Amino acid sequence: METKDLEPKVLDAFSSQLKGELITPQSDRYDMFRRVYNAMIDKRPAMIVRCENVADILYSLEFGKTHDIPIAIRSGGHNAAGLGIADHGIVIDLGLMNGIQVDLKFNTVRVEAGCLLGDIDHALAPFGKAFPTGIFSTTGISGLTLGGGFGHLSRAYGLTIDSLLEADIILADGRLITTDHHNFPDLFWAIRGGGGNFGIVTSYLFELHPAGKIHGGPMLWPIEEARHIMPFYRDYILKAPKEIYCYFAFLTVPPVSIFPEHLHLKKMCGLIWCNLGSTIKSNQALEHFRNFKTPVLDYVDFMDYYHLQSLFDALYPSGLQWYWKGAFIKDLDKDAITKNIAFAKLLPTPHSTVHFYPINGACHDKKNGDTAWGNRDANWSQVIVGVDPDPTNNNKITHWAKSYWEAIHPYSLGGGYINFMMDEGQDQIKASYRDNYDKLQKIKQKYDPKNLFRINQNIEP
Ligand SMILES: Cc1cc2nc3c(=O)[nH]c(=O)nc-3n(C[C@H](O)[C@H](O)[C@H](O)COP(=O)(O)OP(=O)(O)OC[C@H]3O[C@@H](n4cnc5c(N)ncnc54)[C@H](O)[C@@H]3O)c2cc1C
């Protein structure tokens, strides 16, 4: 569908229904609004609706259905595969819907679907509260939550979906409903990990947890030390107290002034910490590693959780080229470690990186079948990230990420986090949901039999 295929009076009538703005290819700001975080994505939608309220979403959904236009839903626009936007589609853009209501009486926060993580962290910071989300404040809460969500607080409090109490959602038939453990419980099960397959979420209610001052930041060693640090880290984090969190990373030190010049552009391995609770326990954890091998960079300090959440934003601004792949890892045996280090030494560009996010601790309090997120038995969610500002390096970063992933695939549980996927296709989506896929498919048949919501890691009805 192109907007030129629609009569001007049809578009005018649609536009006049909206409180928000209708952007078409004829609009001056079309190129600005069709952009997403990953600059490798270059899609040309038929129109973008910058919704201001639920009514705008309902009118847009109806318009898309009436004119048979593919429907894409964009909240934070951070999805690396670009699934918040579609060629020839109508983009229902929720970015302006970013209201937040903190309720200290019930220890909850209601969050509109267009919020970025930074909006939420900012609103909660004065109260020293949070719930687990991701590690970059520029990510959207919607795509992250619907895919499962994890970050610095996940060993303490679980996945993002484990703090989700209810969601308001517009179904394919146009109904606006509230789903929770008691109302539409099958749908509530499905949206906790099943992505944007089941409707358009307009707001979420989350439970809050204590997260004021934390002990956090990076600790780095030369990549040559990874053969010692990685197994030491593995053994430690599998048994660590829940309030201790650190993810393992391979990275290149950015050539910026906050890092010592002699380390600039050196390949490293490291831990990024976020310890809650007792300072004594946190110090014990840090000393455990410092005594094992002295880090060449040690920036771990007391800070507000809010501060840690945006610490790395500036290193990865919007507009870089991204290609990434994910894997769920249960065991990191000697062979797996050797393979990882071999590929990490080949990090193709300074922005490219590899992270192992621990998803044990409180994430293991639930079982694989309790929510749609079917990988509770994994200990890490690994992401292999090829990034560079220069599009001429796209083949280089893509080839490295793919061959790294192939090499470690035998050591994984088969699938990967759907929010760390590109366009791997149906087999990999099924492998990622494992035993939960059949149930997800039945729920999809019930709520979206015509697959109206298909611009996502799609569960085919
Ligand atoms: C730099 C970076 C860091 C990241 N760090 C983490 C991390 O620490 N932890 C983690 O878990 N993930 C992380 N992610 C992955 C992130 O969870 C996904 O990219 C996620 O899709 C982003 O959500 P969004 O709303 O910004 O995406 P969008 O591009 O807006 O949307 C992505 C998908 O979600 C669906 N969707 C969006 N909004 C709605 C809605 N309101 N209703 C229904 N469906 C909707 C869309 O259909 C689309 O398929 C990171 C991503 C990046 C780029």
Side-chain angles (χ1 to χ4, degrees):
M1 168 67 66
E2 304 287 340
T3 42
K4 64 179 166 44
D5 301 331
L6 292 166
E7 283 190 43
K9 65 176 185 201
V10 172
L11 271 180
D12 287 347
F14 176 43
S15 177
S16 69
Q17 280 182 309
L18 302 170
K19 187 150 194 310
E21 188 182 8
L22 178 65
I23 306 266
T24 66
Q26 289 71 43
S27 312
D28 290 348
R29 294 183 302 157
Y30 175 73
D31 281 333
M32 182 171 123
F33 283 110
R34 75 184 177 86
R35 238 177 263 147
V36 287
Y37 180 80
N38 179 3
M40 206 185 271
I41 307 296
D42 181 19
K43 292 186 183 161
R44 302 190 67 82
M47 62 193 78
I48 299 162
V49 187
R50 302 185 66 219
C51 298
E52 284 201 20
N53 57 25
V54 171
D56 280 352
I57 306 176
L58 287 167
Y59 290 131
S60 305
L61 180 66
E62 191 53 37
F63 189 81
K65 280 161 70 172
T66 306
H67 298 281
D68 200 18
I69 311 175
I71 288 161
I73 310 152
R74 180 168 69 191
S75 288
H78 240 54
N79 188 274
L83 294 172
I85 190 160
D87 279 329
H88 315 298
I90 175 168
V91 177
I92 301 183
D93 182 342
L94 308 186
L96 295 175
M97 294 176 59
N98 54 11
I100 296 174
Q101 255 183 306
V102 183
D103 185 339
L104 293 181
K105 187 170 163 204
F106 290 102
N107 203 34
T108 59
V109 61
R110 183 166 289 283
V111 166
E112 274 193 298
C115 285
L116 304 183
L117 306 187
D119 300 328
I120 301 167
D121 293 330
H122 179 264
L124 295 175
F127 310 106
K129 306 242 177 197
F131 58 92
T133 61
I135 62 161
F136 278 79
S137 80
T138 50
T139 307
I141 190 64
S142 277
L144 179 131
T145 302
L146 297 170
F150 48 76
H152 292 126
L153 302 180
S154 286
R155 293 194 78 251
Y157 305 130
L159 301 175
T160 306
I161 49 173
D162 299 337
S163 293
L164 183 65
L165 299 173
E166 66 176 45
D168 292 331
I169 179 166
I170 296 171
L171 302 177
D173 61 13
R175 270 180 301 159
L176 169 66
I177 60 152
T178 300
T179 177
D180 59 19
H181 285 290
H182 308 291
N183 299 290
F184 306 91
D186 53 351
L187 185 64
F188 193 57
W189 179 88
I191 62 165
R192 285 177 292 157
N197 273 285
F198 303 94
I200 308 175
V201 178
T202 62
S203 76
Y204 309 82
L205 184 71
F206 290 102
E207 182 188 358
L208 296 175
H209 311 273
K213 282 266 181 262
I214 57 103
H215 208 181
M219 201 182 250
L220 301 182
W221 296 264
I223 202 163
E224 291 71 28
E225 299 286 3
R227 66 202 167 97
H228 304 298
I229 303 291
M230 211 174 176
F232 192 73
Y233 163 74
R234 171 200 61 200
D235 295 344
Y236 173 76
I237 203 71
L238 288 177
K239 295 190 188 130
K242 283 181 181 174
E243 60 269 44
I244 300 291
Y245 179 90
C246 56
Y247 71 82
F248 183 92
F250 292 113
L251 53 89
T252 305
V253 177
V256 292
S257 58
I258 50 163
F259 296 106
E261 212 174 318
H262 70 279
L263 296 181
H264 285 184
L265 296 175
K266 294 261 190 303
K267 286 180 181 155
M268 297 276 159
C269 68
L271 301 177
I272 290 76
W273 295 86
C274 177
N275 299 339
L276 295 163
S278 139
T279 308
I280 297 171
K281 260 192 205 165
S282 175
N283 278 332
Q284 277 169 353
L286 300 169
E287 288 308 312
H288 184 64
F289 283 86
R290 286 172 181 146
N291 292 337
F292 178 63
K293 292 259 170 206
T294 307
V296 292
L297 180 143
D298 191 342
Y299 282 177
V300 184
D301 206 348
F302 292 100
M303 63 180 91
D304 291 326
Y305 168 73
Y306 169 55
H307 179 61
L308 179 69
Q309 280 293 87
S310 56
L311 204 59
F312 306 112
D313 287 357
L315 299 175
Y316 289 91
S318 180
L320 302 174
Q321 313 284 317
W322 287 66
Y323 188 93
W324 67 9
K325 286 184 84 70
F328 283 116
I329 309 293
K330 187 169 183 179
D331 303 308
L332 261 176
D333 67 17
K334 199 163 169 246
D335 285 353
I337 289 178
T338 306
K339 281 262 158 46
N340 271 287
I341 294 173
F343 275 90
K345 284 185 174 166
L346 304 175
L347 284 171
T349 60
H351 282 88
S352 297
T353 183
V354 182
H355 294 174
F356 290 81
Y357 301 106
I359 45 170
N360 59 344
C363 303
H364 284 188
D365 291 349
K366 287 195 165 49
K367 300 278 166 272
N368 278 348
D370 290 348
T371 61
W373 212 79
N375 291 276
R376 301 272 182 176
D377 49 336
N379 286 309
W380 292 274
S381 177
Q382 179 177 3
V383 65
I384 301 162
V385 191
V387 188
D388 198 65
D390 183 354
T392 62
N393 283 330
N394 283 357
N395 280 343
K396 189 162 123 180
I397 58 176
T398 304
H399 176 75
W400 169 79
K402 284 184 175 171
S403 40
Y404 189 143
W405 186 86
E406 293 288 342
I408 55 106
H409 186 58
Y411 306 97
S412 78
L413 290 178
Y417 181 34
I418 59 147
N419 277 342
F420 291 160
M421 284 172 65
M422 300 298 280
D423 55 353
E424 283 88 338
Q426 280 299 306
D427 286 348
Q428 197 52 23
I429 293 171
K430 284 182 189 160
S432 298
Y433 286 114
R434 300 163 86 197
D435 292 345
N436 287 341
Y437 188 82
D438 290 349
K439 184 169 169 187
L440 277 166
Q441 204 169 33
K442 287 199 182 83
I443 299 171
K444 177 78 173 174
Q445 269 156 14
K446 180 171 164 190
Y447 289 97
D448 184 18
K450 293 188 182 150
N451 208 4
L452 190 64
F453 303 116
R454 61 182 177 276
I455 317 289
N456 43 44
Q457 300 297 354
N458 195 224
I459 293 157
E460 292 173 350

